[in-house]
Amino acid sequence: GMSLHTRAENPKYDSTQWDELQKQYGNLDRTNRDLLKDDELAEEKAVAQMKIDEAKERDKEIERVLERDGDPEELLFDTEEEERVFEEYRAKRLQEMKERCKRNF
């Protein structure tokens, strides 16, 4: 998958040795590394949920087309434009789901 961020490229998630030690001694509840774990988990959940939703959507779509004229060929995107729109929609959905999963921790 699109594994989120290596520590170097996203300082938001970097936590120092000191932070980690403080956490061990119970002085610190959560470090940035925990934040990274949460975000990665939220992302995985979101992606999984989205795949399920997409599969359901696609099944419904296939059924509709088959009912109408029995020709599944139509399911392929007619144009690159349609495909692009779909990709954008997908990116937006992923973002929304990530936010939702995060709130559900």
Side-chain angles (χ1 to χ4, degrees):
M2 7 176 234
S3 134
L4 275 176
H5 337 258
T6 58
R7 292 177 48 193
E9 86 196 38
N10 197 333
K12 167 180 159 193
Y13 294 120
D14 208 0
S15 71
T16 62
Q17 207 58 47
W18 172 254
D19 287 343
E20 297 299 326
L21 278 174
Q22 289 306 305
K23 188 179 151 188
Q24 259 175 8
Y25 296 127
N27 301 336
L28 198 58
D29 219 18
R30 297 166 62 69
T31 64
N32 289 358
R33 232 174 272 180
D34 293 316
L35 187 65
L36 173 64
K37 273 194 226 112
D38 285 356
D39 283 0
E40 280 181 337
L41 199 59
E43 172 133 2
E44 276 166 32
K45 275 186 178 173
V47 170
Q49 185 56 52
M50 194 169 77
K51 284 192 177 135
I52 292 171
D53 289 357
E54 273 178 17
K56 284 187 193 149
E57 242 346 280
R58 192 158 292 158
D59 287 349
K60 280 203 293 249
E61 180 62 27
I62 290 176
E63 275 169 31
R64 278 200 298 270
V65 172
L66 288 178
E67 276 168 22
R68 202 178 62 227
D69 58 13
D71 184 9
E73 280 307 299
E74 269 194 51
L75 289 175
L76 301 175
F77 296 110
D78 291 344
T79 62
E80 277 172 29
E81 173 66 13
E82 279 181 32
E83 196 159 356
R84 198 177 53 72
V85 168
F86 178 71
E87 281 307 315
E88 278 171 17
Y89 164 74
R90 193 160 182 242
K92 210 171 76 208
R93 282 283 309 286
L94 178 58
Q95 201 42 53
E96 287 166 8
M97 287 199 164
K98 264 160 54 174
E99 291 309 315
R100 224 171 38 230
C101 290
K102 256 190 192 162
R103 283 201 296 275
N104 290 339
F105 269 117

